[in-house]
Amino acid sequence: MSATRIVIAGAGGRMGQTLIRAVAETKDCVLAGALEATGHPDLGADAARLAGLEEAGIALTDDPLPLIAHADALIDFTIPKVSVALAELTAQARIAHVIGTTGCSADDDAKIRAAARHAVIVKSGNMSLGVNMLAALVKQAARALPGRRRHAQSRSGAVALRAPGDFFRGGLCERAGVESPYVGRRARGAGP
């Protein structure tokens, strides 16, 4: 079996560089490309070198088409409008797309859902195992309290959970028809 070819979008940021290191350390995975915004000061630089690794011959670029055309998956920690555009491209290429972008609007989510009809797209506003486990437990507890409305909110604004009813509008794994229990909106008064 050949290695899974992964493109990182947002590769010049902290999370992008962390993902580049994770791909380098993961057996059967290889960095196939590194995307960043037009005008980013590090465009053209070696992505692995930016992440503190030995050069890998993968230049940071702002052109997603050639990278997506030769990839098996894209991991995306960018901004909503970029995630929507990348979802459309990954759907056309029929490759997996993992979205960790926060701040998506209902319209953005609808566009991502539409793209997910043609590709496997996993979206979560928070990829933290702890936050997602907490959210799942809150969802379970809410089910045990029929007819009551309970609210859980973190002081840091990392997660805002509401139960039961319409509250799980956060992440999605459209192909599997499973929604993440994370709600992708900030707690009242939280910073950017």
Side-chain angles (χ1 to χ4, degrees), residues 6-92:
I6 300 174
V7 172
I8 306 296
R14 271 187 312 188
M15 188 63 184
Q17 292 176 13
T18 299
L19 290 167
I20 288 169
R21 289 189 296 274
V23 167
E25 295 169 3
T26 303
K27 182 181 174 189
D28 297 328
C29 289
V30 62
L31 182 65
L35 288 170
E36 197 44 83
T38 300
H40 191 280
D42 291 322
L43 287 177
D46 187 89
R49 177 58 106 194
L50 290 173
L53 302 171
E54 291 184 29
E55 287 195 22
I58 303 291
L60 198 61
T61 181
D62 61 357
D63 186 4
L65 291 177
L67 301 182
I68 289 172
H70 297 98
D72 300 310
L74 180 131
I75 303 175
D76 170 9
F77 280 80
T78 58
I79 60 174
K81 72 178 184 175
V82 172
S83 292
V84 169
L86 290 173
E88 293 168 3
L89 294 174
T90 58
Q92 290 174 22

Side-chain angles (χ1 to χ4, degrees), residues 50-136:
L50 290 173
L53 302 171
E54 291 184 29
E55 287 195 22
I58 303 291
L60 198 61
T61 181
D62 61 357
D63 186 4
L65 291 177
L67 301 182
I68 289 172
H70 297 98
D72 300 310
L74 180 131
I75 303 175
D76 170 9
F77 280 80
T78 58
I79 60 174
K81 72 178 184 175
V82 172
S83 292
V84 169
L86 290 173
E88 293 168 3
L89 294 174
T90 58
Q92 290 174 22
R94 305 283 198 269
I95 67 169
H97 185 180
V98 177
I99 303 173
T101 301
T102 59
C104 290
S105 67
D107 185 51
D108 296 332
D109 284 341
K111 290 175 182 174
I112 292 168
R113 278 188 197 94
R117 289 191 299 252
H118 306 286
V120 175
I121 296 179
V122 177
K123 178 183 177 289
S124 179
N126 191 318
M127 295 291 178
S128 161
L129 176 61
V131 167
N132 283 289
M133 285 178 60
L134 173 63

